[in-house]
């Protein structure tokens, strides 16, 4: 398995990467490459130029900002899950990150690469949506910032415009009394999510004051915020009864994914089970 | 021979977990697999394969590809389509007609019959150019409807894989008692358990993809083929005599380090002949290494039976009859041993461990538009064991009895095969020795059956589903007596060759026709030789895998290496010692009858007069003081042809936990008590069992090649085809019973396949048990037991 | 054609490489380090695992060009002279290998695991090796091999 012939350039800066991208219409950004290179080996994807941004120093950092955490797009999955500032704030990032691929993949794969690729079964998108992260992108027309929900638009489809690259993800400061978790039902071969459920719940005095629940793997349209589940939680007491009722509302009205490991019916069922499990975790029950 | 023990030699090494001598090169990255070999001037081949399961080739245009820089040659069916690979085992129809044996061309020119069927081969200066050029070949196909299910392929109107094979039936076949007698027994039964199931197709997935290098030396008019094979001599014989018509003495076949086989590297594959032809044509070495995607399409698959089985019991729970109808999928072409697998390696095992008086198997072997099916770890015996052991546990559930008591009631009584005769089955085989109650009792001790049932109830109360499943299996290995397999249609003998060359300094080179691709022969065989000769293991070198250095060989499969190959070495060792005794007697001035050979010394009985093994070796090569009429040298070769198969058996017990909400199944415990006869290296035998268990558990829970309606494999990569990973399995709980094989000098039976044969039904039975414990009285869940299938079973 | 300079097993190497050349093919075909294997097409099996700047990576899913400037260790460079790495010893002592094909990748991945977690539990070892497929051992003795290395001095 060998890719088709391709040129390779390593960008030294974000602006150089953006220029190269603009000058070479058939080029692709290469970060960790753990989605792109296998696809190129299978000749499903054959760009003429790869622009490597993995070693751009300004893209690889994790820093506390306004109580939250800003993560450079070229940070690897391993960088993120081993970072103390992320660990102390976002359970969902650790739990999701630890379940991405395997050790070797986590050592090379990047946050920016994963979200730009927007595999409908990838783990990060659900986590970012549940945390209401914002995603910074930069292109020939400058930089802009989108919420995770705005960024993920569908099946391998994002709000990235032609010539833009992801530069940063900002996780907002967690609210007092909040807890976030990720629960995943894995496809046994690829270990991508058949259902991945990210939940972030804020509890004040036994009452749920805020709840965001997002899924990956469930929908053919990729990761999504399940507003019905969140709505069924807010204002209620953090009890098993509340959770079960809310979980039961999960994955309704979405275009369900299906494959030989999980039919639509089964996926929907799993979404409800995993919503419950995630919420039990997020509510600390 | 046939003492069944190991009293013949010193036991410094035998029976000990000697660390493997081959490990050093593997742990340091110095193993030498075929793809690691690069020859000067080497070119690279890429094979263009059919994207369709069934299509007529209207035209092939290679002109653009041929014009690309770096392309050395392109071959198509027009050039080599008249060459084809043979099937090594002839099975006849019930009516005596010979099986249908359509050609399997090296490259197809008229009609492709499965996805991955080979259409053209490009040879180029680099792997990259070869693939780029292959993509520039234009093939015009007329796509035809495809059939993948064996039971449907026989129906009227099904697409014909081979235009001249009616109903896609290669042959039909039966074994056992007359059908009418079995029907009568079943009619009289107090209870009949009926199970309709699929033993699904699996992909072997040896971790090393197949790789071949063809080389032709015009100076010596000599061909060399490096191949990732389990049996280099067999490949040479088949390729020379049945495919290319090359002079066998001008062809060297080398099987260097091979990264696992599990059956899939037994067969003579078309690409072996293609690189050989291309090397002659181009005058340069040609390497071809498959990709994993190609491996899914072209490495012979295993299993794929569609079965209806019925087991009848009398009022006391004694089995009175077994009646089976099976459709076996052979794929699009006959692979080397594919016809033997669902017949002589399957039907003959349907006695199991039980005294079942009436058995009948009706087998139909069918062509489909799929990858060829052949032996995969266990080959026919796992399918027989699955059928029997599923029926036993299901019958116990249906009749409300303890599954282990049901087995104990029906087991064949213990027999040693020495003072008691072997057990004659109703399906042709005669078991050599067995103590079936013993392994089940030991397994039950390890499990704690009553404790488990208690724990199962307690778990249910806290919302967890636990289940236990049993499998008490027997298999036939140590393949095989040539006359027997010849009478059953084998086109080859199944003896083995072992040569022992004692060097003048007393160092020993052993040449074996067995081939090690993970089994550790370099260690185990050396243990045997060192003990027999009373010398250090470091003084023994085991050489295998090269037709120019090893006289001949039939290779490694069917758990035969030690039982057959080891026995051949033992024969040569006997000859060495016999000759050594003559030399010693001459030097010590006594009769050879007065010499005994103990601990590496030839001693005059009852005296302290002796000569060391090294002294005798040197004398044999420097024969100054030497018996008259005795040839110099100390080098013997032997062929060993076994008198019977060997029959390992055992008891496998799985404990599983099923997630009620999702159907996800986890193996919590796996107990295996195996009796593989005498054991030379317990560490290696345990390792063989572990690996077999993983593959058997894999088939139960994870593995299965799935086709869509067009004959495309929908899970043909590791992103989709699930196999056990480290976190899918528990630590295994093993124990062993030893019932020596009575008919080979080492008393060994074979351990390579046992784990894979016994384990699959134990796991499925455990899931079924878990579901019944929760009131879901399902008979079967189709393997692999994916979470969805288990969950669905709980919704009914 | 990109020019790359890498330090492999302590030796600096410079080559012009095709953009599409995979790192594993660079190691195997250009440098002759055939201990690193290719077992699949999809970065699933781990047979190609090496260390890149101290971390285990799958060299079949990286271009050689991406490694420019990096320090690489392959299985051939794991031992210190004649002294085997504790994992190499563990695999031999505990019969953690049979056909040996997955072994280099398995050892390289386990080395990364032990560096991060010198005393892993059985479950942590199993999860740590999830990216490496072995078809021979059923992982039982691989787990024990890693445990053997973990307790080694």
């Amino acid at each position: 398995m060998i890719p088709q012939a391709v040129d390779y350039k390593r960008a030294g800066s974000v602006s150089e990467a953006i220029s190269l991208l603009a000058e070479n219409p058939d080029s692709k950004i290469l970060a960790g490459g753990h989605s792109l290179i296998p696809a190129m080996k299978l000749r499903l994807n054959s760009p003429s130029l790869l622009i490597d941004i993995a070693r751009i120093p300004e893209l690889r950092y994790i820093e506390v900002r306004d109580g939250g955490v800003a993560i450079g797009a070229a940070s690897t999955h391993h960088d993120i899950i081993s970072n103390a500032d992320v660990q102390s704030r976002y359970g969902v990032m650790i739990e999701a990150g630890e379940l991405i691929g395997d050790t070797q993949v986590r050592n090379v794969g990047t946050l920016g690469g994963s979200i730009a690729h927007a595999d409908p079964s990838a783990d990060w998108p659900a986590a970012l949506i549940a945390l209401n992260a914002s995603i910074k992108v930069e292109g020939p027309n400058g930089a802009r910032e989108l919420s995770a929900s705005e960024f993920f638009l569908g099946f391998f489809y994002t709000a990235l415009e032609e010539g833009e690259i992801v530069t940063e993800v900002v996780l907002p400061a967690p609210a007092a009394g909040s807890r976030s978790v990720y629960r995943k039902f894995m496809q046994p071969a690829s270990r991508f999510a058949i259902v991945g459920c990210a939940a972030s719940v804020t509890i004040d005095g036994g009452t749920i004051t805020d709840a965001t629940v997002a899924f990956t793997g469930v929908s053919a349209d990729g990761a999504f915020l399940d507003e019905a589940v969140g709505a069924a939680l807010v204002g209620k007491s953090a009890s098993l009864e509340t959770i079960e009722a809310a979980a039961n509302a999960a994955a309704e009205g979405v275009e369900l994914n299906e494959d030989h490991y999980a039919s639509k019916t089964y996926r929907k069922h799993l979404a409800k089970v995993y919503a419950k499990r995630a919420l039990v975790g997020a509510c600390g029950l | 021979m046939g003492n069944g023990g190991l009293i013949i030699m010193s036991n410094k090494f035998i029976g000990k977990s000697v660390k493997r001598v081959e490990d050093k090169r593997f742990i340091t990255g110095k193993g030498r697999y075929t793809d690691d070999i690069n020859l000067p001037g080497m070119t690279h081949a890429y094979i263009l394969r059919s994207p369709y399961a069934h299509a007529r080739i209207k035209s092939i245009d290679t002109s653009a590809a041929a014009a690309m820089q770096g392309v050395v040659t392109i071959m198509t069916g027009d050039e080599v389509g008249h060459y084809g690979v043979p099937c090594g085992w002839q099975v006849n129809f019930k009516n005596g007609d010979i099986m249908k044996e359509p050609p399997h061309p090296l490259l197809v020119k008229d009609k492709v019959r499965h996805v991955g069927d080979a259409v053209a081969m490009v040879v180029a200066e680099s792997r990259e150019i070869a693939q780029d050029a292959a993509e520039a070949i234009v093939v015009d196909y007329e796509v035809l409807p495809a059939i993948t299910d064996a039971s449907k392929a026989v129906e009227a109107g099904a697409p014909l894989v081979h235009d001249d094979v009616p109903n896609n039936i290669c042959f039909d076949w039966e074994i056992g008692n007359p059908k009418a007698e079995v029907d009568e027994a079943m009619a009289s039964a107090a209870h009949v358990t009926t199970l309709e199931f699929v033993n699904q197709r699996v992909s072997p997935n040896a971790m090393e993809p197949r790789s071949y290098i063809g080389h032709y030396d015009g100076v010596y008019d000599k061909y060399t083929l490096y191949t990732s094979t389990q049996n280099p001599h067999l490949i040479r014989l088949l390729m020379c005599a049945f495919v290319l018509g090359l002079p066998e003495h001008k062809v060297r076949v080398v099987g260097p380090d091979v990264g696992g086989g599990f059956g899939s590297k037994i067969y003579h594959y078309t690409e072996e002949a293609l690189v050989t032809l291309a090397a002659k044509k181009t005058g340069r070495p040609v390497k071809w290494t498959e990709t994993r995607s190609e491996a899914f399409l072209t490495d012979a698959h295993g299993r794929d039976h569609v079965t209806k089985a019925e087991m009848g019991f009398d009022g006391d729970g004694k089995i009175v009859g077994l009646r089976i109808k099976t459709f076996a999928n052979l794929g699009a072409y006959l692979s080397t041993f594919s016809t033997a697998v669902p017949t002589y390696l399957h039907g003959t095992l349907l006695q199991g461990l039980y005294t079942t008086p009436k058995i009948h198997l009706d087998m139909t072997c069918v062509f489909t538009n799929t990858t060829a099916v052949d032996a995969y770890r266990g080959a026919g015996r796992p399918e027989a064991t699955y059928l029997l052991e599923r029926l036993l546990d299901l019958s116990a559930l249906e009749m409300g009895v303890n599954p282990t008591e049901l087995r104990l009631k029906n087991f064949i009584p213990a027999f040693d095969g020495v003072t008691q005769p072997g057990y004659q089955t109703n399906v042709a085989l005669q078991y050599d020795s067995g103590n079936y109650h013993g392994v089940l009792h030991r397994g039950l001790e390890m499990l704690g059956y009553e404790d488990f049932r208690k724990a199962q109830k307690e778990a249910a109360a806290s919302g967890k589903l636990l289940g236990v499943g049993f499998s008490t299996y027997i298999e036939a290995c140590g393949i095989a007596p040539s006359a027997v397999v010849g009478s059953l249609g084998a086109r080859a003998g199944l003896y083995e060759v072992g040569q022992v060359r004692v060097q003048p300094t007393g160092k020993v080179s052993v040449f074996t026709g067995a081939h090690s691709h993970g089994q550790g022969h370099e260690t185990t065989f050396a243990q045997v030789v060192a003990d027999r000769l009373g010398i250090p293991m470091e003084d023994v070198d085991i050489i295998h895998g090269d037709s120019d250095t090893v006289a001949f060989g039939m290779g490694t499969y069917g758990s035969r290496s030690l039982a057959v190959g080891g026995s051949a070495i033992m024969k040569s060792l006997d000859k060495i010692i016999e000759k050594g005794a003559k030399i010693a007697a001459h030097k010590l001035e006594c009769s050879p009858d007065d010499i005994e050979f103990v601990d590496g010394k030839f001693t005059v009985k009852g005296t302290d007069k002796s000569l060391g093994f090294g002294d005798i070796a040197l004398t044999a090569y420097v024969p100054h003081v030497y018996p008259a009429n005795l040839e110099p040298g100390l080098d013997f070769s032997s062929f060993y042809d076994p008198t019977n198969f060997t029959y390992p058996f055992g008891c496998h017990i799985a404990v599983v936990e099923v997630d009620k909400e999702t159907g996800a199944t986890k193996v919590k415990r796996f107990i295996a008590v195996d009796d593989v006869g005498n054991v030379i290296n317990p560490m290696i035998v345990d390792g063989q069992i572990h690996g077999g268990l993983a593959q058997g558990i894999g088939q139960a829970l994870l593995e299965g090649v799935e086709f869509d309606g067009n004959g495309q494999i929908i899970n043909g990569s590791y992103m989709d085809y699930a196999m056990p990973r480290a976190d899918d399995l528990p630590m295994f709980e093993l124990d062993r019973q030893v019932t020596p094989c009575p008919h080979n000098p080492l008393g060994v039976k074979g351990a390579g396949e046992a784990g894979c044969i016994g384990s699959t039904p134990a796991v499925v039975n455990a899931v079924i048990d878990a579901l019944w414990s929760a009131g879901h009285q399902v008979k079967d869940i189709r393997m692999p037991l994916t979470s969805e299938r288990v969950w669905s079973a709980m919704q009914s | 054609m990109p020019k790359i300079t890498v330090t492999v097993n302590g030796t600096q190497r410079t080559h012009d490489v095709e953009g599409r050349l995979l790192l594993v093919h660079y190691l195997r075909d250009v440098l002759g380090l055939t201990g690193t294997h290719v077992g699949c097409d999809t970065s699933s099996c781990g047979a190609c695992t090496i260390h890149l700047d101290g971390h285990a990576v799958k060299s079949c899913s990286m271009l050689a060009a991406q490694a420019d400037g990096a320090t690489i260790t392959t299985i051939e460079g794991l031992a210190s002279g004649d002294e085997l790495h504790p994992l190499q010893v563990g695999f031999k002592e505990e019969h953690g290998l049979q056909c040996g094909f997955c072994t280099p990748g398995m050892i390289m991945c386990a080395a990364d695991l032990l560096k991060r977690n010198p005393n892993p539990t059985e479950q942590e070892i199993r999860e740590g090796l999830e990216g490496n497929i072995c078809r021979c051992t059923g992982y039982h003795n691989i787990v024990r091999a890693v445990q053997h290395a973990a307790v080694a001095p």
Side-chain angles (χ1 to χ4, degrees), chain A residues 119-130:
Chain A
D119 187 300
S121 301
D123 300 295
W124 284 138
L128 299 191
I129 292 170

Side-chain angles (χ1 to χ4, degrees), chain B residues 102-119:
Chain B
H104 182 183
L106 302 188
L107 293 171
V108 177
K109 59 179 169 184
D110 53 353
K111 188 169 98 156
V112 293
R113 295 179 174 85
H114 68 94
V115 176
D117 215 350
V119 174

Side-chain angles (χ1 to χ4, degrees), chain A residues 94-168:
Chain A
I94 305 306
E95 290 173 354
E98 284 178 342
L99 294 175
I100 294 174
D102 48 52
T103 301
Q104 296 95 315
V105 169
R106 292 191 291 270
N107 282 339
V108 179
T110 65
L111 175 63
S114 170
I115 66 176
H117 186 59
D119 187 300
S121 301
D123 300 295
W124 284 138
L128 299 191
I129 292 170
L131 290 175
N132 194 24
S134 48
I135 295 167
K136 279 192 188 157
V137 304
E138 209 171 316
N141 300 322
R144 60 196 182 106
E145 194 167 331
L146 300 92
S147 75
S149 297
E150 293 165 339
F151 181 82
F152 296 107
L153 296 180
F155 183 79
F156 294 104
Y157 179 42
T158 69
L160 271 179
E161 307 254 346
E162 196 70 31
E164 284 185 328
I165 63 175
V166 176
T167 56
E168 184 181 71

Side-chain angles (χ1 to χ4, degrees), chain A residues 219-282:
Chain A
S219 168
D221 295 329
F224 66 96
L225 176 69
D226 199 324
E227 291 177 6
V229 181
L233 292 164
V234 174
K236 308 258 171 59
S237 72
S239 68
L240 197 57
E241 206 178 9
T242 304
I243 288 170
E244 282 178 345
N248 210 34
E252 293 293 343
V254 299
E255 185 57 45
L256 291 158
N257 198 359
E258 67 178 330
D259 55 36
H260 75 284
Y261 282 108
S263 66
K264 291 183 179 186
T265 307
Y266 181 57
R267 254 195 175 75
K268 190 171 184 175
H269 166 76
L270 284 179
K272 295 177 194 301
V273 172
Y274 274 75
K276 182 177 82 179
R277 291 180 182 184
L279 288 168
V280 165

